Amino acid sequence: MTQVTPVSTPKPRRPRPQVMRLTDAAAQRITELTQRADSEIVGLRVGVKNGGCAGQSYTVEYAHEIRPTDEVVEDKGVKILVDPKAVLFLLGTEMDYRADKMQAQFVFNNPNQISACGCGESVELRPAKIDG
């Protein structure tokens, strides 16, 4: 007698949450960067590396190809490739771009960020004491 093993259908997976989202300013800046690049760029690769005063820092670099392990985020017509080691640190993050008279940079509004240091970006000032 042949025994038949029942075939189980796999449970449908829940949709994965989008790791990051972009503001309009960030998407516009990424579009500008990819159009101005010297070579073919598929998007920006975002990650987290150890180092800096608070222990970690964000990384942003040109991505020339999509790696099999990259988490691909498509938002507002551009691609962000997230390093797989950074996904848990970046989950729920909004990437913004801000420019003012002193600097222009990508800013990460990250609900997972506990603290940040101000290395060279902020100072504390108080009025001078005048003897009189």
Side-chain angles (χ1 to χ4, degrees):
M1 188 181 261
T2 308
Q3 187 170 359
V4 177
T5 307
V7 177
S8 63
T9 56
K11 292 180 183 179
R13 289 185 162 191
R14 285 188 302 182
R16 291 175 61 171
Q18 184 169 312
V19 175
M20 295 177 63
R21 65 185 187 282
L22 303 171
T23 63
D24 291 337
Q28 180 180 349
R29 182 63 178 155
I30 293 167
T31 300
E32 291 169 3
L33 290 172
T34 54
Q35 289 174 349
R36 273 197 291 172
D38 294 339
S39 59
E40 176 101 13
I41 306 262
V42 294
L44 292 185
R45 181 167 283 110
V46 177
V48 175
K49 70 176 183 176
N50 291 332
C53 300
Q56 294 175 305
S57 59
Y58 297 106
T59 62
V60 179
E61 60 188 21
Y62 290 125
H64 299 284
E65 80 272 339
I66 298 174
R67 298 175 187 154
T69 57
D70 284 335
E71 180 78 25
V72 179
V73 175
E74 294 188 57
D75 193 15
K76 296 181 175 58
V78 297
K79 283 185 186 168
I80 296 293
L81 309 174
V82 180
D83 181 335
K85 292 176 275 187
V87 168
L88 290 176
F89 295 103
L90 296 174
L91 196 61
T93 298
E94 176 188 67
M95 185 174 173
D96 193 10
Y97 180 76
R98 295 190 192 137
D100 61 29
K101 291 180 182 179
M102 299 299 288
Q103 63 185 355
Q105 64 184 350
F106 286 107
V107 176
F108 296 87
N109 301 313
N110 187 340
N112 304 308
Q113 185 171 308
I114 297 166
S115 66
C117 69
C119 340
E121 294 187 23
S122 65
V123 294
E124 182 177 344
L125 302 172
R126 62 177 166 205
K129 292 183 180 180
I130 299 175
D131 295 327

